[in-house]
Amino acid sequence: MVAKRYRCDDCGGTSNLCFTDGMLWRETQRHRLLEHAGLRLDGERVIDVPVARLVDVPRGQAIATVVLFSLLVAWALLR
């Protein structure tokens, strides 16, 4: 999964993460209207930001998490 950020190099503004095209479009329009009177600038760009996935977690950390979660569940059930 890739999130995106809107970047305006003319004023140095960068949006928060946008997870859909609609979010990105709204952020772009909001910035243009509020900061540049609705003008489309030459310095606009979209930055792709990779988002971590569950499979990106190191194997040892995943195993430790499953073990700890299992212990917590067993403790809660036996309590």
Side-chain angles (χ1 to χ4, degrees):
M1 175 179 191
V2 174
K4 297 179 181 190
R5 287 183 189 262
Y6 166 75
R7 173 76 180 157
C8 177
D9 289 334
D10 290 344
C11 69
T14 303
S15 74
N16 293 326
L17 288 177
C18 298
F19 293 99
T20 65
D21 290 339
M23 286 175 69
L24 183 64
W25 182 83
R26 283 189 296 277
E27 187 62 33
T28 301
Q29 295 303 314
R30 185 196 67 76
H31 179 79
R32 286 179 187 166
L33 287 172
L34 293 176
E35 302 296 330
H36 304 291
L39 299 175
R40 185 187 186 292
L41 304 168
D42 292 336
E44 292 181 329
R45 60 189 168 116
V46 174
I47 302 168
D48 289 335
V49 180
V51 177
R53 301 172 300 160
L54 186 57
V55 295
D56 294 334
V57 175
R59 186 179 181 98
Q61 185 177 350
I63 292 170
T65 302
V66 169
V67 168
L68 285 174
F69 182 73
S70 300
L71 289 171
L72 283 172
V73 169
W75 176 77
L77 290 174
L78 295 174
R79 206 174 128 215

Short mmCIF file of all heavy atoms in Angstrom, two decimals, residues 29-72:
data_model
loop_
_atom_site.label_atom_id
_atom_site.label_comp_id
_atom_site.label_asym_id
_atom_site.label_seq_id
_atom_site.Cartn_x
_atom_site.Cartn_y
_atom_site.Cartn_z
N GLN A 29 -6.98 20.85 -3.68
CA GLN A 29 -7.89 21.97 -3.90
C GLN A 29 -7.89 22.93 -2.71
O GLN A 29 -7.89 24.15 -2.88
CB GLN A 29 -9.31 21.45 -4.15
CG GLN A 29 -9.44 20.65 -5.42
CD GLN A 29 -9.01 21.43 -6.65
OE1 GLN A 29 -9.36 22.58 -6.83
NE2 GLN A 29 -8.22 20.79 -7.50
N ARG A 30 -7.89 22.38 -1.50
CA ARG A 30 -7.87 23.21 -0.29
C ARG A 30 -6.64 24.10 -0.26
O ARG A 30 -6.71 25.31 -0.02
CB ARG A 30 -7.91 22.33 0.96
CG ARG A 30 -8.01 23.12 2.26
CD ARG A 30 -7.66 22.28 3.47
NE ARG A 30 -6.24 21.90 3.47
CZ ARG A 30 -5.24 22.71 3.80
NH1 ARG A 30 -5.47 23.95 4.13
NH2 ARG A 30 -3.99 22.28 3.78
N HIS A 31 -5.49 23.51 -0.56
CA HIS A 31 -4.25 24.27 -0.54
C HIS A 31 -4.26 25.37 -1.61
O HIS A 31 -3.89 26.52 -1.34
CB HIS A 31 -3.04 23.35 -0.74
CG HIS A 31 -1.75 24.09 -0.75
ND1 HIS A 31 -1.13 24.52 0.40
CD2 HIS A 31 -0.97 24.52 -1.78
CE1 HIS A 31 -0.03 25.17 0.09
NE2 HIS A 31 0.09 25.19 -1.23
N ARG A 32 -4.68 25.01 -2.82
CA ARG A 32 -4.72 26.02 -3.89
C ARG A 32 -5.61 27.20 -3.52
O ARG A 32 -5.25 28.35 -3.74
CB ARG A 32 -5.24 25.38 -5.18
CG ARG A 32 -4.26 24.48 -5.86
CD ARG A 32 -4.90 23.89 -7.10
NE ARG A 32 -4.05 22.88 -7.72
CZ ARG A 32 -4.48 22.04 -8.64
NH1 ARG A 32 -5.73 22.07 -9.04
NH2 ARG A 32 -3.66 21.17 -9.15
N LEU A 33 -6.80 26.89 -2.97
CA LEU A 33 -7.74 27.96 -2.63
C LEU A 33 -7.24 28.82 -1.48
O LEU A 33 -7.31 30.06 -1.54
CB LEU A 33 -9.10 27.37 -2.29
CG LEU A 33 -9.90 26.84 -3.47
CD1 LEU A 33 -11.14 26.10 -2.97
CD2 LEU A 33 -10.29 27.96 -4.41
N LEU A 34 -6.75 28.19 -0.41
CA LEU A 34 -6.37 28.95 0.77
C LEU A 34 -5.04 29.68 0.62
O LEU A 34 -4.87 30.78 1.15
CB LEU A 34 -6.30 28.03 1.99
CG LEU A 34 -7.63 27.44 2.47
CD1 LEU A 34 -7.40 26.48 3.62
CD2 LEU A 34 -8.58 28.55 2.85
N GLU A 35 -4.10 29.08 -0.05
CA GLU A 35 -2.75 29.66 -0.11
C GLU A 35 -2.43 30.41 -1.40
O GLU A 35 -1.56 31.28 -1.41
CB GLU A 35 -1.70 28.56 0.10
CG GLU A 35 -1.84 27.79 1.40
CD GLU A 35 -1.63 28.66 2.63
OE1 GLU A 35 -0.86 29.63 2.54
OE2 GLU A 35 -2.26 28.38 3.65
N HIS A 36 -3.10 30.04 -2.50
CA HIS A 36 -2.70 30.61 -3.79
C HIS A 36 -3.89 31.10 -4.62
O HIS A 36 -3.82 31.11 -5.86
CB HIS A 36 -1.91 29.57 -4.59
CG HIS A 36 -0.72 29.05 -3.86
ND1 HIS A 36 0.40 29.81 -3.59
CD2 HIS A 36 -0.47 27.83 -3.31
CE1 HIS A 36 1.28 29.08 -2.92
NE2 HIS A 36 0.77 27.88 -2.72
N ALA A 37 -4.97 31.48 -3.95
CA ALA A 37 -6.16 32.06 -4.60
C ALA A 37 -6.70 31.18 -5.74
O ALA A 37 -7.20 31.68 -6.73
CB ALA A 37 -5.84 33.46 -5.12
N GLY A 38 -6.58 29.86 -5.59
CA GLY A 38 -7.13 28.94 -6.57
C GLY A 38 -6.24 28.65 -7.76
O GLY A 38 -6.62 27.87 -8.65
N LEU A 39 -5.07 29.22 -7.81
CA LEU A 39 -4.18 29.01 -8.95
C LEU A 39 -3.48 27.66 -8.88
O LEU A 39 -3.11 27.19 -7.81
CB LEU A 39 -3.11 30.11 -9.00
CG LEU A 39 -3.62 31.54 -9.17
CD1 LEU A 39 -2.46 32.52 -9.06
CD2 LEU A 39 -4.33 31.69 -10.49
N ARG A 40 -3.28 27.05 -10.04
CA ARG A 40 -2.50 25.82 -10.12
C ARG A 40 -1.05 26.23 -10.35
O ARG A 40 -0.73 26.96 -11.28
CB ARG A 40 -2.96 24.93 -11.26
CG ARG A 40 -2.25 23.61 -11.26
CD ARG A 40 -2.59 22.79 -12.49
NE ARG A 40 -2.01 21.47 -12.43
CZ ARG A 40 -0.72 21.19 -12.48
NH1 ARG A 40 0.17 22.14 -12.56
NH2 ARG A 40 -0.30 19.94 -12.43
N LEU A 41 -0.17 25.77 -9.49
CA LEU A 41 1.23 26.20 -9.54
C LEU A 41 2.11 25.20 -10.27
O LEU A 41 1.81 24.00 -10.32
CB LEU A 41 1.74 26.38 -8.11
CG LEU A 41 0.89 27.35 -7.27
CD1 LEU A 41 1.29 27.25 -5.82
CD2 LEU A 41 1.04 28.75 -7.79
N ASP A 42 3.20 25.68 -10.81
CA ASP A 42 4.16 24.80 -11.49
C ASP A 42 4.92 23.92 -10.52
O ASP A 42 5.42 22.87 -10.89
CB ASP A 42 5.16 25.64 -12.31
CG ASP A 42 4.49 26.33 -13.48
OD1 ASP A 42 3.43 25.85 -13.92
OD2 ASP A 42 5.02 27.35 -13.94
N GLY A 43 5.01 24.33 -9.25
CA GLY A 43 5.79 23.59 -8.27
C GLY A 43 5.01 22.53 -7.51
O GLY A 43 5.46 22.08 -6.47
N GLU A 44 3.85 22.12 -8.00
CA GLU A 44 3.06 21.10 -7.32
C GLU A 44 3.55 19.71 -7.71
O GLU A 44 3.93 19.47 -8.85
CB GLU A 44 1.59 21.19 -7.71
CG GLU A 44 0.90 22.41 -7.20
CD GLU A 44 -0.56 22.42 -7.58
OE1 GLU A 44 -0.93 21.88 -8.65
OE2 GLU A 44 -1.34 22.96 -6.82
N ARG A 45 3.51 18.80 -6.74
CA ARG A 45 3.84 17.41 -7.04
C ARG A 45 3.21 16.50 -6.00
O ARG A 45 2.78 16.94 -4.94
CB ARG A 45 5.33 17.18 -7.12
CG ARG A 45 6.10 17.50 -5.87
CD ARG A 45 7.60 17.46 -6.13
NE ARG A 45 8.32 18.03 -5.03
CZ ARG A 45 9.16 17.36 -4.27
NH1 ARG A 45 9.39 16.08 -4.51
NH2 ARG A 45 9.79 17.94 -3.29
N VAL A 46 3.16 15.23 -6.33
CA VAL A 46 2.63 14.21 -5.43
C VAL A 46 3.79 13.30 -5.03
O VAL A 46 4.54 12.83 -5.88
CB VAL A 46 1.51 13.40 -6.12
CG1 VAL A 46 1.07 12.25 -5.24
CG2 VAL A 46 0.34 14.31 -6.45
N ILE A 47 3.91 13.07 -3.73
CA ILE A 47 4.99 12.24 -3.21
C ILE A 47 4.39 10.91 -2.76
O ILE A 47 3.43 10.88 -1.98
CB ILE A 47 5.67 12.91 -2.00
CG1 ILE A 47 6.22 14.28 -2.40
CG2 ILE A 47 6.76 12.02 -1.43
CD1 ILE A 47 6.65 15.13 -1.22
N ASP A 48 4.91 9.80 -3.27
CA ASP A 48 4.49 8.47 -2.82
C ASP A 48 5.22 8.13 -1.53
O ASP A 48 6.44 8.25 -1.45
CB ASP A 48 4.81 7.40 -3.87
CG ASP A 48 3.90 7.51 -5.09
OD1 ASP A 48 2.79 8.04 -4.95
OD2 ASP A 48 4.30 7.05 -6.17
N VAL A 49 4.46 7.69 -0.52
CA VAL A 49 5.03 7.34 0.78
C VAL A 49 4.69 5.88 1.06
O VAL A 49 3.52 5.54 1.23
CB VAL A 49 4.44 8.23 1.90
CG1 VAL A 49 5.04 7.86 3.25
CG2 VAL A 49 4.65 9.70 1.59
N PRO A 50 5.68 4.99 1.06
CA PRO A 50 5.38 3.58 1.34
C PRO A 50 4.89 3.41 2.78
O PRO A 50 5.41 4.03 3.70
CB PRO A 50 6.70 2.86 1.13
CG PRO A 50 7.75 3.91 1.10
CD PRO A 50 7.09 5.22 0.82
N VAL A 51 3.85 2.60 2.94
CA VAL A 51 3.27 2.33 4.25
C VAL A 51 3.63 0.90 4.64
O VAL A 51 3.51 -0.02 3.84
CB VAL A 51 1.75 2.53 4.22
CG1 VAL A 51 1.12 2.19 5.55
CG2 VAL A 51 1.41 3.96 3.82
N ALA A 52 4.08 0.73 5.87
CA ALA A 52 4.49 -0.60 6.34
C ALA A 52 3.30 -1.56 6.34
O ALA A 52 2.18 -1.20 6.68
CB ALA A 52 5.07 -0.51 7.74
N ARG A 53 3.57 -2.81 5.95
CA ARG A 53 2.56 -3.86 5.96
C ARG A 53 2.92 -4.88 7.02
O ARG A 53 4.04 -4.90 7.52
CB ARG A 53 2.52 -4.55 4.59
CG ARG A 53 2.20 -3.58 3.45
CD ARG A 53 2.35 -4.25 2.12
NE ARG A 53 3.74 -4.71 1.97
CZ ARG A 53 4.14 -5.63 1.12
NH1 ARG A 53 3.28 -6.21 0.33
NH2 ARG A 53 5.40 -5.98 1.06
N LEU A 54 1.98 -5.73 7.36
CA LEU A 54 2.21 -6.74 8.37
C LEU A 54 3.36 -7.66 7.97
O LEU A 54 4.15 -8.08 8.82
CB LEU A 54 0.94 -7.56 8.61
CG LEU A 54 0.99 -8.57 9.73
CD1 LEU A 54 1.34 -7.89 11.06
CD2 LEU A 54 -0.34 -9.30 9.85
N VAL A 55 3.48 -7.95 6.69
CA VAL A 55 4.55 -8.85 6.25
C VAL A 55 5.93 -8.19 6.31
O VAL A 55 6.94 -8.86 6.17
CB VAL A 55 4.29 -9.39 4.83
CG1 VAL A 55 3.05 -10.27 4.80
CG2 VAL A 55 4.17 -8.27 3.82
N ASP A 56 5.97 -6.88 6.54
CA ASP A 56 7.24 -6.16 6.65
C ASP A 56 7.84 -6.25 8.06
O ASP A 56 8.98 -5.87 8.26
CB ASP A 56 7.06 -4.69 6.29
CG ASP A 56 6.68 -4.50 4.83
OD1 ASP A 56 7.04 -5.36 4.01
OD2 ASP A 56 6.03 -3.48 4.51
N VAL A 57 7.06 -6.76 9.03
CA VAL A 57 7.54 -6.88 10.40
C VAL A 57 8.59 -8.00 10.44
O VAL A 57 8.37 -9.08 9.89
CB VAL A 57 6.37 -7.20 11.36
CG1 VAL A 57 6.88 -7.45 12.77
CG2 VAL A 57 5.36 -6.08 11.33
N PRO A 58 9.73 -7.78 11.10
CA PRO A 58 10.74 -8.83 11.19
C PRO A 58 10.17 -10.11 11.82
O PRO A 58 9.34 -10.05 12.73
CB PRO A 58 11.82 -8.21 12.09
CG PRO A 58 11.62 -6.75 11.98
CD PRO A 58 10.16 -6.55 11.75
N ARG A 59 10.61 -11.24 11.35
CA ARG A 59 10.07 -12.53 11.77
C ARG A 59 10.15 -12.74 13.28
O ARG A 59 9.19 -13.17 13.92
CB ARG A 59 10.81 -13.66 11.04
CG ARG A 59 10.23 -15.02 11.31
CD ARG A 59 11.02 -16.08 10.50
NE ARG A 59 10.48 -17.38 10.72
CZ ARG A 59 9.62 -17.99 9.90
NH1 ARG A 59 9.22 -17.37 8.83
NH2 ARG A 59 9.18 -19.19 10.17
N GLY A 60 11.27 -12.42 13.89
CA GLY A 60 11.44 -12.58 15.33
C GLY A 60 10.45 -11.72 16.12
O GLY A 60 9.89 -12.16 17.13
N GLN A 61 10.22 -10.52 15.65
CA GLN A 61 9.28 -9.63 16.32
C GLN A 61 7.85 -10.16 16.18
O GLN A 61 7.07 -10.08 17.13
CB GLN A 61 9.38 -8.22 15.72
CG GLN A 61 8.52 -7.20 16.43
CD GLN A 61 8.70 -5.82 15.86
OE1 GLN A 61 9.60 -5.58 15.05
NE2 GLN A 61 7.86 -4.90 16.28
N ALA A 62 7.51 -10.70 15.03
CA ALA A 62 6.17 -11.27 14.83
C ALA A 62 5.96 -12.47 15.75
O ALA A 62 4.90 -12.62 16.37
CB ALA A 62 5.99 -11.67 13.37
N ILE A 63 6.96 -13.34 15.86
CA ILE A 63 6.85 -14.51 16.73
C ILE A 63 6.71 -14.08 18.19
O ILE A 63 5.86 -14.59 18.92
CB ILE A 63 8.06 -15.45 16.53
CG1 ILE A 63 8.01 -16.07 15.14
CG2 ILE A 63 8.11 -16.52 17.61
CD1 ILE A 63 9.27 -16.81 14.74
N ALA A 64 7.52 -13.13 18.62
CA ALA A 64 7.44 -12.64 20.00
C ALA A 64 6.07 -12.04 20.29
O ALA A 64 5.51 -12.24 21.37
CB ALA A 64 8.54 -11.62 20.26
N THR A 65 5.52 -11.32 19.35
CA THR A 65 4.19 -10.72 19.53
C THR A 65 3.12 -11.78 19.68
O THR A 65 2.25 -11.69 20.56
CB THR A 65 3.86 -9.79 18.34
OG1 THR A 65 4.86 -8.78 18.25
CG2 THR A 65 2.50 -9.15 18.50
N VAL A 66 3.17 -12.82 18.84
CA VAL A 66 2.19 -13.90 18.93
C VAL A 66 2.31 -14.64 20.26
O VAL A 66 1.30 -14.95 20.91
CB VAL A 66 2.35 -14.87 17.73
CG1 VAL A 66 1.52 -16.13 17.94
CG2 VAL A 66 1.96 -14.18 16.44
N VAL A 67 3.53 -14.90 20.70
CA VAL A 67 3.74 -15.58 21.99
C VAL A 67 3.19 -14.74 23.14
O VAL A 67 2.46 -15.25 24.01
CB VAL A 67 5.23 -15.92 22.19
CG1 VAL A 67 5.51 -16.36 23.61
CG2 VAL A 67 5.67 -16.97 21.19
N LEU A 68 3.53 -13.46 23.16
CA LEU A 68 3.04 -12.59 24.24
C LEU A 68 1.52 -12.47 24.22
O LEU A 68 0.87 -12.51 25.28
CB LEU A 68 3.67 -11.20 24.13
CG LEU A 68 5.13 -11.11 24.57
CD1 LEU A 68 5.68 -9.73 24.27
CD2 LEU A 68 5.25 -11.42 26.05
N PHE A 69 0.94 -12.34 23.05
CA PHE A 69 -0.52 -12.27 22.95
C PHE A 69 -1.16 -13.56 23.44
O PHE A 69 -2.16 -13.53 24.16
CB PHE A 69 -0.93 -11.97 21.50
CG PHE A 69 -2.41 -11.83 21.34
CD1 PHE A 69 -3.07 -10.72 21.81
CD2 PHE A 69 -3.15 -12.82 20.71
CE1 PHE A 69 -4.44 -10.59 21.66
CE2 PHE A 69 -4.52 -12.71 20.56
CZ PHE A 69 -5.17 -11.58 21.04
N SER A 70 -0.58 -14.69 23.08
CA SER A 70 -1.11 -15.98 23.53
C SER A 70 -1.03 -16.10 25.05
O SER A 70 -1.97 -16.60 25.69
CB SER A 70 -0.33 -17.13 22.88
OG SER A 70 -0.46 -17.07 21.48
N LEU A 71 0.08 -15.66 25.64
CA LEU A 71 0.21 -15.69 27.09
C LEU A 71 -0.83 -14.79 27.77
O LEU A 71 -1.41 -15.17 28.80
CB LEU A 71 1.62 -15.28 27.51
CG LEU A 71 2.73 -16.29 27.22
CD1 LEU A 71 4.09 -15.66 27.49
CD2 LEU A 71 2.53 -17.55 28.04
N LEU A 72 -1.06 -13.62 27.21
CA LEU A 72 -2.07 -12.72 27.77
C LEU A 72 -3.46 -13.33 27.70
O LEU A 72 -4.24 -13.24 28.66
CB LEU A 72 -2.05 -11.38 27.04
CG LEU A 72 -0.92 -10.43 27.41
CD1 LEU A 72 -0.91 -9.23 26.49
CD2 LEU A 72 -1.06 -9.99 28.86
#
